[in-house]
Amino acid sequence: MNKEVLEVVLKKLEKESRIASIIDLQSVPALPKGENTTSTILRVTLKVILGNGRQAKKSFIMKQMITEGIYSVIHKEMTYLMEEFEDTEETLWCKFIHFDPHSSSILLEDLKVCGYSLVPRQKGLDLDHAILALRGLGKYHGMAKVLEERGIISKDEYKPWFWLNDLKPVKCILYGGISNLAKPTVRRSNYEFLLKTYHDSLVRTLDKFGFTGTKPTLEEITDTMKRVELFGLTFFAALHPSIICSSTEAFDIELVLTSEGEKGFNEDILREPGMIEELGPDITDLVERHFSALD
């Protein structure tokens, strides 16, 4: 088959599978009540006519965002980087479709259609999934560092996550969650191994994609984790009980922010069966490590 014929065939194939028109549109919450509190996430289901005349259903995720830069710029450049080095692994992100500045909404690929599902928040990640998550995080950070070295992206162009960049929500977390600390049992039992898993993935990615700068050692990463340990433990103190509880009304995010953390937390979740056993070891560890001198 020559080039001209193949070109015609591929263009025809693309046209046949392309959406020609939308017959119907429905949108419903993508997550049940209590599963997400910081943004509006909708599942948009379309009934469409394809280029070949066939009816089909398409599903997308719509999410309200202040900026789409990570999706439209960074993830695109990471995809190009993977193609450049012939990395055939699946991407760590879904496909970005569109950003609407008027509604501050982004349209994304619906990964549920691809067979993905969420881990029940009450159970958390088991060891196998925690390993996969940290390998992915190490690869993601490694590719970002390569793009930064190439001058494609700059960390100065992106602010840290607003929970870490705005004193107000940080104050809310500290005020409302200082005594509610919990980290998964998996983390407590496998902390050093999981940290090494992240480091191995990070360094392997930096090597794979041609990073020429200095690579962090495992000791340096461990020291950094130690430096931010108190903040990390306190941060999880406020969040983990709301994640593992059975209630769908763990906290009212608007009330938490407007009251600077004095109101909005549902204290009843701390009385749920098994919560003390889940939180106890980390609370004890927090006090012994950072507050024992206050006696």
Side-chain angles (χ1 to χ4, degrees):
M1 185 180 297
N2 61 40
K3 184 181 69 173
E4 288 75 17
V5 173
L6 184 59
E7 182 177 330
V8 172
V9 170
L10 294 178
K11 285 182 177 180
K12 180 181 178 182
L13 177 64
E14 182 182 2
K15 181 179 179 181
E16 288 181 347
S17 59
R18 186 184 305 164
I19 296 176
S21 62
I22 298 176
I23 302 174
D24 187 35
L25 180 154
Q26 293 182 342
S27 61
V28 297
L31 296 170
K33 182 180 179 181
E35 298 299 309
N36 183 69
T37 57
T38 58
S39 63
T40 300
I41 303 178
L42 300 175
R43 173 166 283 109
V44 180
T45 303
L46 308 176
K47 184 183 294 185
V48 302
I49 299 293
L50 300 179
N52 59 7
R54 186 175 64 88
Q55 285 194 20
K57 285 187 177 181
K58 299 289 183 179
S59 180
F60 302 94
I61 294 296
M62 183 176 291
K63 181 176 181 179
Q64 288 189 329
M65 298 283 290
I66 297 176
T67 176
E68 90 294 356
I70 291 178
Y71 293 92
S72 63
V73 178
I74 296 180
H75 290 172
K76 181 174 67 175
E77 292 294 342
M78 285 182 174
T79 301
Y80 294 160
L81 185 65
M82 292 176 67
E83 292 173 353
E84 177 186 341
F85 285 86
E86 299 181 349
D87 183 348
T88 57
E89 290 185 1
E90 197 170 15
T91 60
L92 298 168
W93 49 89
C94 61
K95 294 178 181 177
F96 169 79
I97 309 297
H98 178 67
F99 173 67
D100 179 17
H102 299 292
S103 61
S104 297
S105 298
I106 55 174
L107 195 65
L108 303 170
E109 173 188 19
D110 186 357
L111 293 179
K112 185 176 181 180
V113 177
C114 302
Y116 286 91
S117 61
L118 293 174
V119 174
R121 62 177 173 83
Q122 293 88 350
K123 294 183 178 180
L125 298 179
D126 58 23
L127 180 58
D128 289 339
H129 286 90
I131 291 172
L132 287 174
L134 284 170
R135 283 177 180 168
L137 188 62
K139 181 175 182 178
Y140 189 90
H141 287 167
M143 286 192 290
K145 197 64 180 177
V146 172
L147 294 180
E148 182 187 28
E149 184 182 52
R150 291 184 173 192
I152 296 175
I153 63 174
S154 171
K155 61 184 178 182
D156 296 331
E157 297 175 359
Y158 299 92
K159 291 183 178 180
W161 189 35
F162 83 99
W163 286 108
L164 307 180
N165 192 54
D166 187 336
L167 183 59
K168 184 176 181 179
V170 170
K171 180 180 179 181
C172 295
I173 292 172
L174 298 179
Y175 191 104
I178 189 65
S179 63
N180 303 336
L181 177 63
K183 286 189 177 181
T185 304
V186 169
R187 190 274 308 160
R188 289 197 292 261
S189 303
N190 302 277
Y191 179 78
E192 293 183 0
F193 171 72
L194 292 173
L195 204 59
K196 185 177 185 302
T197 297
Y198 167 80
H199 175 260
D200 289 346
S201 178
L202 173 65
V203 173
R204 185 167 57 249
T205 300
L206 293 172
D207 290 337
K208 180 175 184 177
F209 293 108
F211 182 72
T212 61
T214 303
K215 304 176 186 69
T217 65
L218 178 58
E219 182 179 7
E220 288 172 333
I221 290 180
T222 302
D223 289 343
T224 298
M225 293 293 290
K226 181 70 175 178
R227 179 174 59 82
V228 299
E229 179 183 59
L230 177 58
F231 178 79
L233 292 176
T234 307
F235 188 82
F236 277 97
L239 295 184
H240 194 60
S242 66
I243 293 173
I244 65 173
C245 70
S246 60
S247 174
T248 60
E249 298 179 348
F251 58 87
D252 182 332
I253 188 64
E254 291 187 7
L255 185 57
V256 170
L257 292 175
T258 56
S259 68
E260 296 190 345
E262 295 186 26
K263 299 178 181 179
F265 285 93
N266 181 2
E267 296 182 1
D268 290 339
I269 65 175
L270 300 176
R271 302 183 182 93
E272 290 191 3
M275 187 66 73
I276 293 178
E277 290 77 9
E278 181 77 12
L279 303 179
D282 279 314
I283 293 176
T284 301
D285 187 51
L286 173 64
V287 173
E288 290 179 349
R289 285 172 180 259
H290 300 283
F291 299 106
S292 58
L294 299 179
D295 294 340

